[in-house]
Amino acid sequence: MPVPCDHNRTQIIARRDGVDYVECLDCRQIFEAEDLEPVKVEEDEE
Ligand SMILES: [Zn+2]
């Protein structure tokens, strides 16, 4: 069962169109820094 993450430890990984993207160091989720909404990340799909 996954443990809810508060995303307290993040690092900026990219900036695009004035938006900072941050990655949570704990759960590796990618967010927009402004609202911490999950962002679709391109990963290997087959
Ligand atoms: Zn997290």
Side-chain angles (χ1 to χ4, degrees):
M1 187 185 301
V3 178
C5 182
D6 291 330
H7 315 305
N8 289 320
R9 299 192 306 136
T10 56
Q11 65 175 357
I12 295 177
I13 58 169
R15 173 171 292 174
R16 187 174 177 183
D17 297 331
V19 178
D20 288 331
Y21 292 87
V22 299
E23 176 181 26
C24 178
L25 297 177
D26 292 325
C27 68
R28 315 308 288 185
Q29 181 62 266
I30 310 295
F31 305 93
E32 291 183 14
E34 287 188 350
D35 50 19
L36 289 184
E37 280 188 6
V39 176
K40 273 194 175 181
V41 184
E42 288 188 18
E43 292 183 2
D44 285 343
E45 300 177 4
E46 309 243 344

